[in-house]
């Protein structure tokens, strides 16, 4: 007996080994050499693009991967086109860049790169092309990791037809006149031992049959069954059974399952049929006899479970190879590869696929058949769908309806309801305009156009008079299929009408023009007058269209002077604006804003002062401050003035934004020229204003004369304390501040700062005096004449420019020049001899 068990176990192992197939057998094909991109729907292409994007891949990298999977060059170009079309439809073109122009030349390198990448990342990368591969119908039932399993519900009441076997546990409850409760295991021989009653064989019986037998045995042992005592029998623990799955399965082998498990539970545990396994001829073998044959298509399409029988211990499920496969692609709801049985027709396969999509062309299906050593095409018409028997290897393509209309016309432009309309027999332009809600008020009725397709699909344009088409039947044109009628708006035929206002208004700028617009209306649109604006002598300039180009002094604009009410009240004025007029509003002649100057430093009353007269000068301002203090350095007095004041323009009347920007840019360029100088920088804010060197001592000695400048708005007059130091900066060995000593020379102060550095440009050294004036070094014969140093001055030594290396061309030029000079000298010597 033991030897027999060993032989059976060895036989099971051998069968499992023979039935085993590598896991890779069910993986998706890696070769796209025979794939046709047009077989994929837009939804499939879009899903592939989304998967690539989720992995951080661009469209160009996706194309490279397709090349690496041996997709032919023509199909690569078609895939590029499909992706570009979908990006265009979705309004997203950001990921489409990077395609190579030479697809064929790039394919071998793309394949090599893909193979290297595939070796490194195969485990972590989602297969982007899995949605493009034809799928076996029903395979997703077992491949979907998120799907619910077919595990039986163990919380249900015990089925009355459940067959009891060894290792089951029966729960027997006796209640009424007699009370008892037992949980009894079923022995390997199929018996239970009821306490005080004896042994009862229950193996092979249903729960219902076992209940009858238990009641009978209890009644025979003085239990008043049916006379005040009742018995309930239920299943306790459920036993485990062993089921053998062999054949074309993903994971064939022996599985331990619950005794309530069905054939579908076992198939799911084994991963379902593999790529060549049958979904329709699955056999269940019990005691060496086929007791049932499963057809998974019946379960998938109808939810039928009549063949999904409960398994028993040592049952065998065998999955043979499929018999015949056909493929449905295109406009069906479930495009896939289907397994056919003898006697099934094309209509049956269409039913399995869920039928046609809404956009399917159903009158004819194209079939790619296997014919000996080659292929052939066949058309199956709708009337023959229920008669045609699919053959091995048939590929059915369900086409999409054409993207064209048999009775469409279009109207666009200045109508109330532009769009597409039905082309009825004899439809004319006037009728189409009526269907579109009529013309808008801005419609240009002098000319309309029709874009019409010629018989060869070239385009023809037909022009017509819109007004005549609406009023004269003879001018009305009968429309044809795909005609596109365009009615232009008058606003599309000229520039946008606008008027401009400048000067003393709160919001100057450009505004939309309206007929009969007055100057006062435009001023109100601009926010009204600014403070100090004059309502008189407002100037309006207008374009001219009759200028004589032959005259040198021909008129280029027509200018009008207009007066308006100061409060902008309504006045019956005949003058109206025209498109593109420019209105200029000026300030009142006597209007002035306060002008402020600032005095800093050693004066009696430093602070802000308002200029009283237009000709107020520096000496007048010093007088108003109470004069200088005793510690003032009169020779160090300086005046800082901003750009607008230097130009001699009132800052309140000048937009200095562009001027400041230009000056700042220039100063930034100046700063960049010092990028190699580590000991000095250019302060842009310092140079934004201008320091004017003044001789305050001379101004106070001779007030009102030439050196006594007239004050401007924003001036800052600074009178420092008497200085006792001299600063030395730039290309010296130790930049520092040095105590001023009378009679010490320029070079003496430089020596006190360590002397000149190796990069010092001595001839470029200069001195900045406290009053803002600058004096540079002059040349006397071969000697540098440095300027005089005063208390509070700053000595600055610039850096030598970087030497420029001579190029080969410059060296050649030097050599040529020297050779020419040598030749001339030799010539002169020879002549003198």
């Amino acid at each position: 007996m033991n030897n027999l068990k060993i032989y059976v176990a060895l036989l099971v192992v051998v069968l499992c080994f023979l039935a085993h197939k590598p896991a890779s057998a069910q993986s998706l094909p890696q070769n796209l050499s025979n794939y046709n991109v047009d077989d994929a729907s837009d939804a499939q292409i879009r899903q592939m693009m989304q998967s690539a994007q989720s992995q951080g891949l661009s469209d160009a990298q996706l194309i490279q991967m397709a090349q690496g999977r041996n997709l032919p060059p023509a199909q690569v170009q078609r895939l590029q086109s499909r992706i570009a079309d979908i990006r265009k439809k979705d309004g997203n073109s950001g990921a489409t860049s990077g395609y190579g122009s030479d697809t064929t030349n790039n394919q071998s390198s793309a394949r090599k790169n893909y193979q290297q990448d595939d070796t490194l990342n195969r485990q972590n990368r989602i297969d982007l092309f899995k949605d493009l591969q034809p799928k076996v119908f029903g395979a997703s039932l077992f491949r979907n990791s998120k799907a619910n399993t077919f595990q039986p519900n163990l919380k249900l009441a015990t089925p009355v037809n459940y067959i009891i076997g060894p290792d089951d546990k029966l729960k027997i409850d006796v209640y009424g006149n007699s009370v008892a409760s037992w949980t009894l295991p079923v022995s390997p021989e199929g018996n239970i031992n009821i306490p005080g009653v004896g042994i009862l064989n229950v193996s092979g019986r249903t729960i219902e049959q076992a209940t009858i037998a238990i009641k009978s045995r209890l009644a025979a042992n003085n239990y008043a069954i049916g006379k005040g005592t009742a018995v309930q029998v239920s299943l306790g623990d459920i036993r485990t059974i062993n089921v053998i799955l062999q054949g074309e399965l993903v994971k064939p082998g022996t599985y331990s399952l619950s005794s309530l498990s069905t054939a579908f539970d076992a198939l799911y545990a084994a991963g379902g049929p593999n790529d060549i396994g049958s979904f329709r001829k699955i056999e269940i073998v019990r005691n060496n006899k086929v007791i049932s044959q499963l057809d998974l298509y019946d379960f998938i399409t109808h939810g039928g479970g009549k063949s999904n029988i409960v398994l028993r211990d040592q049952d065998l499920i065998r999955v043979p190879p499929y018999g015949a496969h056909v493929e449905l692609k295109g406009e069906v709801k479930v495009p896939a590869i289907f397994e056919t049985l003898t006697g099934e027709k094309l209509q049956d396969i269409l039913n399995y696929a869920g039928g046609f999509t809404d956009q399917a062309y159903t009158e004819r299906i194209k079939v790619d058949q296997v014919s000996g050593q080659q292929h052939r095409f066949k058309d199956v018409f709708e009337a023959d769908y229920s008669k045609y028997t699919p053959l091995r290897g048939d590929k059915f393509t369900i086409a999409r309806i054409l993207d064209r209309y048999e009775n469409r016309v279009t109207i666009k432009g200045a109508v109330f309801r532009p769009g597409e309309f039905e082309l009825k027999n004899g439809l004319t332009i006037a009728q189409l305009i009526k269907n579109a809600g009529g013309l808008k008020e801005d419609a240009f009725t002098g000319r309309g156009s029709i874009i019409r397709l010629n018989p060869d699909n070239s385009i023809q344009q037909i022009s017509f008079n819109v007004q005549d088409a609406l009023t004269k039947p003879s001018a009305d044109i009968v429309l044809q299929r795909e005609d596109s009628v365009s009615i232009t708006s008058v606003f599309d035929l000229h520039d946008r009408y606008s008027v401009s206002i400048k000067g003393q208004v709160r919001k100057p700028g450009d505004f939309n023009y309206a007929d009969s617009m007055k100057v006062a209306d435009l001023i109100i649109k601009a926010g009204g007058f600014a403070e100090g604006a004059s309502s008189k002598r407002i100037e309006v300039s207008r374009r001219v269209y009759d200028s004589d180009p032959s005259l040198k002094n021909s008129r280029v604009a027509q200018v009008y002077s207009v007066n308006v009410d100061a409060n902008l009240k309504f006045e019956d004025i005949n003058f109206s604006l025209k498109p593109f007029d420019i209105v200029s509003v000026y300030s009142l002649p006597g209007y002035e804003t306060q002008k402020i100057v600032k005095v800093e430093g050693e004066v009696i009353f430093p602070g802000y002062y308002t200029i009283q007269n237009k000709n107020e000068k520096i000496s007048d301002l010093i007088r108003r401050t109470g004069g200088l203090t005793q510690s003032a350095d009169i020779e160090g007095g300086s005046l800082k003035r901003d750009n607008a004041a230097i130009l001699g323009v009132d800052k309140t009347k000048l937009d200095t934004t562009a001027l400041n920007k230009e000056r700042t840019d220039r100063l930034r360029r100046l700063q960049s020229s010092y990028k190699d100088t580590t000991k000095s920088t250019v302060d842009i804010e310092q140079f934004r204003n201008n320091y004017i060197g003044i001789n305050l001592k001379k101004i106070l000695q001779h007030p009102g004369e030439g050196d006594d400048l007239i004050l401007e708005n924003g001036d800052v007059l600074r009178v420092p304390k008497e200085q006792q130091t001299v600063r030395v900066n730039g290309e010296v060995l130790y930049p520092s501040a040095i105590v001023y000593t009378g009679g010490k020379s320029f070079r003496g102060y430089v020596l006190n700062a360590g002397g000149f550095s190796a990069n010092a440009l001595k001839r470029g050294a200069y001195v900045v005096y406290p009053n803002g004036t600058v004096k540079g070094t002059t040349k006397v014969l071969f000697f540098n004449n440095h300027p005089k140093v005063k208390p509070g001055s700053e000595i600055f030594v610039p850096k030598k420019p970087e030497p420029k290396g001579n190029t080969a061309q410059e060296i050649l030029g030097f050599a040529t020049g020297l050779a020419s000079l040598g030749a001339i000298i030799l010539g002169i010597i020879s002549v003198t001899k």
Side-chain angles (χ1 to χ4, degrees):
M1 184 68 181
N2 291 333
N3 291 336
L4 179 60
K5 290 183 178 180
I6 294 174
Y7 292 148
V8 171
L10 289 174
L11 179 61
V12 169
V13 171
V14 171
L15 289 175
C16 293
F17 177 77
L18 294 175
H20 179 70
K21 295 291 185 295
S24 60
Q26 57 88 30
S27 62
L28 292 168
Q30 299 294 312
N31 194 340
L32 298 175
S33 58
N34 295 322
Y35 185 72
N36 185 358
V37 174
D38 288 328
D39 290 342
S41 65
D42 284 352
Q44 290 175 304
I45 300 290
R46 187 176 284 106
Q47 178 62 36
M48 178 184 64
M49 295 163 57
Q50 290 173 352
S51 298
Q53 187 174 357
S54 67
Q55 297 183 57
L57 300 177
S58 66
D59 291 347
Q61 291 171 315
L62 177 61
I63 294 296
Q64 187 181 31
M65 292 182 65
Q67 292 172 335
R69 297 278 282 269
N70 298 318
L71 189 66
Q75 295 301 318
V76 170
Q77 294 178 0
R78 181 59 185 152
L79 180 59
Q80 289 179 353
S81 177
R82 292 285 301 275
I83 291 176
D85 290 344
I86 291 175
R87 290 289 183 196
K88 186 176 181 181
K89 289 179 184 177
D90 296 344
N92 177 15
S93 59
T96 60
S97 60
Y99 293 143
S101 58
D102 191 348
T103 305
T104 304
N105 294 339
N106 292 335
Q107 185 152 1
S108 60
S109 61
R111 186 180 298 112
K112 180 179 179 181
N113 292 337
Y114 169 77
Q115 291 169 349
Q116 294 173 351
D117 176 71
D118 186 65
T119 302
L120 296 174
N121 301 309
R122 185 179 300 167
Q123 298 299 326
N124 300 324
R125 189 184 61 244
I126 300 173
D127 191 340
L128 302 179
F129 303 98
K130 64 180 181 179
D131 290 329
L132 300 183
Q133 304 288 348
K135 296 177 176 56
V136 177
F137 182 72
S140 60
L141 194 66
F142 303 98
R143 308 292 192 270
N144 187 358
S145 60
K146 298 181 180 180
N148 293 324
T149 67
F150 293 106
Q151 291 297 326
N153 188 350
L154 302 181
K155 296 182 180 181
L156 294 175
T158 305
V160 294
N161 61 345
Y162 177 76
I163 305 298
I164 300 173
D167 294 333
D168 279 340
K169 288 185 179 180
L170 297 182
K171 187 174 183 180
I172 303 173
D173 290 317
V174 180
Y175 55 94
N177 293 332
S178 301
V179 177
S181 180
W182 305 295
T183 300
L184 306 176
V186 180
S187 69
E189 289 77 18
N191 300 326
I192 60 173
N193 188 357
I194 303 175
V197 175
I199 295 174
L200 177 65
N201 186 278
V202 293
S203 180
R205 299 184 183 186
T206 66
I207 287 291
E208 186 177 18
Q209 292 171 342
T211 301
I212 295 172
I214 291 170
K215 287 181 179 180
S216 177
R217 180 62 65 90
L218 290 174
N221 284 270
N222 298 323
Y223 283 86
I225 305 301
K227 299 177 182 180
T229 301
V231 178
Q232 182 178 3
V233 180
S234 60
L235 195 63
D237 293 342
I238 298 175
R239 72 183 183 275
T240 299
I241 62 174
N242 291 325
V243 180
I244 303 170
L245 290 98
Q246 67 177 25
E248 303 302 331
L249 288 154
V250 174
K251 296 179 291 183
T254 300
Y255 289 84
S256 295
L257 305 173
S258 163
S259 58
L260 293 177
S261 298
T262 64
F264 287 162
D265 299 331
L267 287 171
Y268 189 89
N274 61 23
D275 287 345
I276 63 173
S278 173
F279 281 75
R280 312 201 63 186
K281 297 179 181 180
I282 301 173
E283 297 175 340
I284 302 175
V285 181
R286 182 174 298 163
N287 298 326
N288 295 324
K289 292 182 180 179
V290 177
I291 63 170
S292 180
Q293 190 174 64
L294 292 180
D295 184 351
L296 292 179
Y297 282 18
D298 179 61
F299 175 80
I300 295 171
T301 57
H302 303 110
K306 60 183 179 180
S307 58
N308 188 22
I309 65 173
V310 177
L311 298 175
R312 295 186 185 179
D313 191 39
Q314 298 304 317
D315 278 354
L316 184 146
I317 299 177
R318 183 169 54 235
V319 179
Y322 69 84
H325 271 174
V326 298
E327 181 181 352
L328 259 68
K329 54 188 178 180
E331 296 300 323
V332 288
K333 294 177 182 175
V334 186
I337 295 174
F338 295 86
E339 182 180 352
T340 61
L341 298 178
T342 303
E344 285 188 328
K345 305 299 180 183
L346 174 58
Q347 186 61 54
D348 298 321
I349 309 302
L350 290 172
N351 293 339
Y352 292 143
F356 298 107
T357 65
D358 296 335
Q359 299 296 316
Y361 174 63
T362 62
E363 295 183 6
R364 174 187 304 178
I365 294 178
K366 181 172 60 178
V367 188
D368 180 353
Q369 295 182 328
V370 176
S371 178
Q373 298 182 2
Q374 55 188 354
H375 292 264
R376 71 173 180 179
F377 279 109
K378 180 179 177 63
D379 289 333
V380 181
F381 294 92
E382 190 171 10
D384 298 327
Y385 291 170
S386 59
K387 303 175 184 177
Y388 178 80
T389 301
L391 303 177
R392 175 183 60 87
D394 278 359
K395 294 182 179 180
F396 300 91
T397 302
I398 293 84
R400 191 181 183 90
I401 59 175
L402 300 177
D403 188 17
R404 60 179 291 169
Y405 294 82
E406 61 183 20
N407 63 338
R408 178 179 66 175
V409 290
T410 305
I411 185 169
K412 57 185 179 180
V415 292
F416 285 103
R417 297 183 182 276
E420 299 171 344
F421 293 87
E422 176 188 2
L423 175 63
K424 295 182 178 180
N425 188 25
L427 182 70
T428 63
I429 292 175
Q431 294 169 348
L432 179 60
I433 292 175
K434 181 179 179 181
N435 294 343
L439 296 176
K440 288 185 176 180
E441 294 79 3
D442 60 322
F444 176 63
T445 59
R447 178 184 290 268
S449 64
I450 302 172
I451 300 299
R452 175 168 293 176
L453 293 179
N454 292 324
D456 60 354
N457 268 357
S458 60
I459 295 176
Q460 175 188 8
Q461 177 160 329
I462 303 173
S463 300
F464 62 93
N465 186 294
V466 178
Q467 187 63 37
D468 290 348
L470 294 175
T471 57
K472 299 178 182 179
S474 59
D476 204 1
I477 300 175
V478 178
L479 298 175
Q480 299 180 9
R481 185 185 70 85
E482 295 297 332
D483 277 356
S484 178
V485 179
S486 178
I487 308 296
T488 306
S489 168
V490 293
F491 298 118
D492 296 333
L493 301 177
H494 58 70
D495 293 337
R496 183 180 69 87
Y497 286 163
S498 64
V499 288
S500 300
I501 185 168
K502 304 179 183 299
Q504 298 303 307
V505 290
R506 296 180 61 244
K507 294 183 291 184
D510 298 334
F511 297 88
N512 290 330
Y513 169 79
D515 287 340
S516 302
M517 178 184 284
K518 309 298 183 183
V519 173
D521 298 327
L522 180 58
I523 294 174
I524 290 175
K525 286 179 177 291
F529 289 115
E531 181 68 24
S534 172
S535 62
K536 307 299 181 183
R537 197 178 167 275
I538 296 174
E539 193 171 90
V540 180
S541 61
R542 182 166 296 168
R543 293 181 179 180
V544 296
Y545 300 92
D546 56 354
S547 178
D548 189 350
S550 63
L551 297 178
K552 189 174 183 179
N553 61 344
S554 60
R555 184 174 58 179
V556 295
Q558 191 170 1
V559 179
Y560 303 90
S561 183
V562 179
N563 298 329
V564 299
D565 182 77
N567 297 319
L568 299 176
K569 293 181 180 179
F570 175 76
E571 294 178 313
D572 189 10
I573 300 176
N574 292 328
F575 184 82
S576 298
L577 297 175
K578 297 293 183 183
F580 311 114
D581 279 357
I582 299 176
V583 177
S584 299
V585 180
Y586 304 105
S587 298
L588 289 168
Y591 177 77
E592 293 287 346
T593 59
Q594 297 94 328
K595 297 177 177 61
I596 305 297
V597 296
K598 184 180 181 182
V599 183
E600 298 176 341
E602 297 302 313
V603 293
I604 301 299
F605 297 103
Y608 292 94
Y609 290 83
T610 301
I611 298 175
Q612 296 177 340
N613 304 308
K614 286 188 175 182
N615 63 344
E616 188 168 355
K617 299 187 176 183
I618 295 175
S619 59
D620 300 324
L621 180 60
I622 293 293
R623 190 180 306 112
R624 291 173 62 187
T625 64
L628 305 179
T629 66
Q630 292 298 321
S631 59
D633 180 11
I634 190 170
E635 293 186 353
S638 63
L639 180 68
K640 184 172 68 174
R641 178 167 291 177
D642 64 20
N643 299 320
I646 291 176
L647 294 175
V649 180
D650 188 346
K651 189 175 181 179
T652 62
K653 300 178 181 180
L654 176 68
D655 181 8
T656 59
T657 302
L659 181 65
N660 285 334
K661 182 179 183 301
E662 178 184 356
R663 183 172 179 82
T664 300
D665 291 343
R666 186 167 65 250
L667 292 172
R668 290 192 188 279
R669 290 193 296 270
L670 176 63
Q671 187 180 39
S672 66
S673 68
Y674 285 91
K675 61 184 179 180
D676 295 330
T677 302
T678 58
K679 299 181 181 179
S680 62
T681 58
V682 177
D683 187 352
I684 290 178
E685 293 302 323
Q686 177 183 354
F687 283 90
R688 191 182 298 278
N689 295 287
N690 297 271
Y691 284 90
I692 300 175
I694 61 173
N695 191 336
L696 185 58
K697 182 177 182 180
K698 186 176 180 181
I699 290 173
L700 296 180
Q701 290 175 348
H702 305 282
E705 295 187 1
D707 290 335
D708 196 1
L709 300 180
I710 296 176
L711 296 173
E712 298 288 350
N713 186 38
D715 281 356
V716 178
L717 179 63
R718 184 174 182 274
V719 182
K721 284 185 178 181
E722 189 172 339
Q723 301 294 309
Q724 296 178 330
T725 60
V726 175
R727 289 177 295 167
V728 183
N729 286 318
E731 291 299 322
V732 292
L733 296 179
Y734 192 79
S736 57
I738 300 166
V739 177
Y740 174 78
T741 303
K744 185 182 289 188
S745 66
F746 180 98
R747 186 173 183 82
Y749 288 104
V750 172
L751 289 174
N752 286 145
F756 293 107
S757 70
N759 295 323
L761 182 63
K762 300 178 182 179
R763 67 175 182 275
Y766 57 87
V767 176
V768 180
Y769 295 104
N771 66 349
T773 58
V774 180
K775 286 187 178 181
T777 300
T778 58
K779 200 78 171 177
V780 178
L781 297 178
F782 299 102
F783 303 99
N784 293 324
N785 183 23
H786 297 295
K788 183 180 179 181
V789 180
K790 295 181 180 180
S793 300
E794 179 181 5
I795 298 173
F796 188 85
V797 182
K799 183 180 180 180
K800 290 180 181 179
E802 294 291 336
K804 295 182 178 179
N806 294 325
T807 63
Q809 185 176 2
E810 291 174 339
I811 294 173
L812 180 61
F814 293 151
T816 303
L818 290 174
S820 300
L821 180 60
I824 293 173
I825 294 173
L826 291 175
I828 295 174
I829 294 174
S830 62
V831 170
T832 57
K833 289 182 179 180

